[in-house]
Amino acid sequence: MSGRRIAELGEFELIELITAGLGRGDQVLIGAGDDAAVLRLRGDLAVSTDTMVENVHFRRDWSSANDVGRKAVAACVADAEAMGAVGVGVVVALSVPGELEVDWFTEFAAGVREECDNAGVSLVGGDLTRAEQIVITVTVLADLAGREPLRRKGAQVGDQVAFCGRLGWAAAGLAVLTRGFRSPRAVVVAQRVPEPPYGQGVVAAQAGAHSLIDVSDGLLADLGHIAAASAVQIELDSAAFEIAEPQQAVAAALGGGNPLVYQLTGGEDHALVGTFPPGRVPSGWTVVGRVAAGPAQVLVDGAAPDFGAAGWEHFGTAR
Amino acid sequence: MSGRRIAELGEFELIELITAGLGRGDQVLIGAGDDAAVLRLRGDLAVSTDTMVENVHFRRDWSSANDVGRKAVAACVADAEAMGAVGVGVVVALSVPGELEVDWFTEFAAGVREECDNAGVSLVGGDLTRAEQIVITVTVLADLAGREPLRRKGAQVGDQVAFCGRLGWAAAGLAVLTRGFRSPRAVVVAQRVPEPPYGQGVVAAQAGAHSLIDVSDGLLADLGHIAAASAVQIELDSAAFEIAEPQQAVAAALGGGNPLVYQLTGGEDHALVGTFPPGRVPSGWTVVGRVAAGPAQVLVDGAAPDFGAAGWEHFGTAR
């Protein structure tokens, strides 16, 4: 297929490239190829949708097509994890320019399938359209399997705040890439493909978590959502965060700022953070603070953090 | 808000514009505003996703923002109807340029909500991102409520072929709009906002339909999918189609072609077409042919139809 362009193939031929030989889990009654897919769930359905746009959420000179496919699936499935649900299937809507190389398309599809395997979900359908720019929307269908969903609004005074997964790796990677570098490799790779802690949403639910969210806007911003929804104050201890070596290296190389900023404000790693009754934090999770009575805000070492924007907004002039 | 641009508002402010006061059905346990929505279904889940791209699927000088919002929802819910499922919720992913007027955005949201009301589904979530071009992806979550899904592959020799809804109205409207006209108004309105026969998918299932599809690519193309999936020949009778007056008028005004072409090849009205055991066609459905043994093809009056492309493909060079 080398060198061929999307416009040279028909829509159905392209869809066949994605769906040929597609495996499916035992909860998938009908996969891709009919008007709709059909899934059999054990409990309530959790559903979330997530869009990635070329040159807004990814750049083709920074990320391979495989990376982009993996990231699109990972970011979306993380939202289901954050409800304590188990991802069952995803549908992927892809818009691409007609002059795009077919190789990009097939590598993207391979990335989607790889990450579906990692996350334990099935690719069950999608749509393919032409656009001036690559736009990818993934929707995850997840199964609460008889459990109650974990909300943002359930945090209670006295809870411990804990996270699982990586914080600030993608942000450190973005800082490096933005300045034209490609190392430290570990953070660059993390920016290209997040590694959400698949399965830990259910672990949190089974441990009795009171609230949960995935870190997509940055820890402070996302804990701010829990604080607002639960009407509580969240207090973090900076000493509880372990700064990884590559984050130290990036901060030093790029001007000596405090590398904690990456962990507190960086999104896109899709860690899970939540609040637990004291003593109920699962193993593998790191306690970084507590829930207290007070105004709906997030404090670090007892004070409002004073470094720049606390999160990522796509619109607005603040950024 | 008059004259304000999307980029002047924050992402969360914009989302609040869509979701404020949003009603929800009794199967919606959690609506927009958390990491995922949560729905309670009575049976298996049917899910389908559908993208509309500016200047590919709609033009802002032809369609109002309200029209676009309505069409995006209608086209997607029709896919759930085609499985014999009942739409419960939709999630809407919207990508827009920062310079778009906020008024377009709020009118689009109003159209989405209007069509959700028409279809009896709840808007339960979405995503909002920046892009160079407007791209809308709607995903429908539908409930089979204990019934088996209606597949493309179930057609049986001896079945009657019948449709419900409108055929070729949107295509006649497109023909008019493409030539710079705005009348007959009925077909132009149909091009802007389809009217899928909501509820008739379930009616077909309850009547014992063997196969069903929604007409999005054109009747011949979509029946071709049934013929291929079921390995049967489908035979249509041209005399069974009633050509509406505005379709006659458009064909006459635009050069005297056979107006039946609109009905046989026009998509985007999202009629339902399926096959039924003899005598089981529900009232309100029109019988237009039969299922026979033979190669997987669609014949009209015993012959392969000989007018141009039988459907709509987004890629490929034929069109």
Side-chain angles (χ1 to χ4, degrees), chain B residues 78-98:
Chain B
D79 283 320
E81 290 278 340
M83 302 301 280
V86 178
V88 174
V90 292
V91 291
V92 178
L94 175 65
S95 301
V96 292

Side-chain angles (χ1 to χ4, degrees), chain B residues 56-314:
Chain B
V56 178
H57 302 87
F58 67 91
R59 284 172 46 164
R60 271 195 271 163
D61 56 338
W62 287 358
S63 299
S64 72
N66 189 286
D67 292 340
V68 173
R70 288 189 59 189
K71 188 171 189 167
V73 170
C76 188
V77 174
D79 283 320
E81 290 278 340
M83 302 301 280
V86 178
V88 174
V90 292
V91 291
V92 178
L94 175 65
S95 301
V96 292
E99 61 273 22
L100 188 72
E101 290 191 2
V102 171
D103 283 351
W104 193 96
F105 177 83
T106 52
E107 283 166 26
F108 167 83
V112 165
R113 292 165 73 148
E114 263 177 64
E115 196 64 22
C116 282
D117 285 345
N118 292 342
V121 305
S122 301
L123 173 60
V124 298
D127 194 10
L128 178 61
T129 51
R130 193 197 302 243
E132 290 163 19
Q133 192 180 15
I134 300 173
V135 179
I136 304 146
T137 296
V138 180
T139 304
V140 62
L141 300 318
D143 192 349
L144 281 158
R147 289 184 307 276
E148 290 289 312
L150 285 174
R151 310 283 312 256
R152 299 176 176 185
K153 71 179 187 187
Q156 295 180 20
V157 172
D159 279 356
Q160 291 183 291
V161 177
F163 76 91
C164 184
R166 300 196 296 200
L167 292 176
W169 285 62
L174 183 63
V176 163
L177 285 165
T178 304
R179 286 160 181 82
F181 301 118
R182 290 289 186 275
S183 68
R185 184 168 159 73
V187 293
V188 170
V189 168
Q191 197 281 329
R192 292 175 177 150
V193 181
E195 296 184 9
Y198 293 125
Q200 290 296 316
V202 173
V203 167
Q206 289 169 339
H210 283 151
S211 66
L212 194 65
I213 195 169
D214 88 298
V215 182
S216 50
D217 295 331
L219 187 70
L220 292 177
D222 289 310
L223 282 175
H225 296 316
I226 287 184
S230 304
V232 296
Q233 178 166 291
I234 290 180
E235 302 173 353
L236 301 180
D237 305 315
S238 65
F241 293 87
E242 192 179 327
I243 306 297
E245 191 283 326
Q247 292 175 318
Q248 298 274 17
V250 173
L254 300 184
N258 184 347
L260 185 62
V261 174
Y262 298 132
Q263 301 217 8
L264 293 177
T265 66
E268 292 204 296
D269 291 297
H270 301 284
L272 295 172
V273 64
T275 73
F276 298 81
R280 300 284 291 276
V281 175
S283 78
W285 290 62
T286 304
V287 175
V288 292
R290 72 205 68 78
V291 177
Q297 60 181 344
V298 182
L299 304 181
V300 180
D301 299 334
D306 63 355
F307 39 73
W312 164 272
E313 287 201 25
H314 294 299

Side-chain angles (χ1 to χ4, degrees), chain A residues 48-282:
Chain A
S48 184
T49 195
D50 217 43
T51 298
M52 284 184 14
V53 179
E54 181 182 3
N55 298 333
V56 178
H57 302 86
F58 67 92
R59 284 172 47 166
R60 271 196 271 163
D61 55 341
W62 287 357
S63 299
S64 72
N66 189 286
D67 292 339
V68 173
R70 288 189 58 190
K71 187 171 188 167
V73 170
C76 188
V77 174
D79 284 321
E81 289 278 341
M83 301 301 280
V86 178
V88 174
V90 293
V91 292
V92 178
L94 175 63
S95 300
V96 292
E99 61 273 20
L100 187 73
E101 289 190 4
V102 171
D103 283 349
W104 193 95
F105 176 83
T106 52
E107 284 165 25
F108 168 82
V112 164
R113 292 164 72 148
E114 264 177 62
E115 195 63 22
C116 282
D117 286 345
N118 292 343
V121 305
S122 300
L123 174 60
V124 298
D127 194 11
L128 179 60
T129 51
R130 193 196 303 242
E132 290 162 19
Q133 191 180 14
I134 301 173
V135 179
I136 305 146
T137 296
V138 180
T139 304
V140 62
L141 300 319
D143 192 347
L144 279 158
R147 288 184 306 277
E148 291 289 312
L150 284 175
R151 309 285 310 261
R152 298 176 176 187
K153 72 178 185 188
Q156 294 180 20
V157 172
D159 279 357
Q160 290 182 292
V161 177
F163 76 92
C164 184
R166 299 196 297 199
L167 292 175
W169 285 61
L174 183 63
V176 163
L177 286 164
T178 303
R179 286 161 181 82
F181 301 118
R182 290 288 186 276
S183 69
R185 185 168 159 73
V187 294
V188 170
V189 168
Q191 197 281 329
R192 291 174 178 150
V193 181
E195 295 183 11
Y198 294 124
Q200 290 295 317
V202 173
V203 167
Q206 289 169 338
H210 283 152
S211 67
L212 194 65
I213 194 168
D214 87 298
V215 181
S216 51
D217 295 331
L219 188 70
L220 292 177
D222 289 310
L223 281 176
H225 296 316
I226 288 185
S230 304
V232 295
Q233 178 166 293
I234 291 180
E235 302 172 353
L236 301 180
D237 304 315
S238 64
F241 293 87
E242 193 178 329
I243 307 298
E245 191 283 327
Q247 293 175 318
Q248 298 274 18
V250 173
L254 300 183
N258 184 349
L260 184 63
V261 173
Y262 298 132
Q263 299 218 9
L264 293 178
T265 66
E268 293 202 296
D269 291 297
H270 301 284
L272 296 172
V273 64
T275 72
F276 299 79
R280 300 285 290 277
V281 176

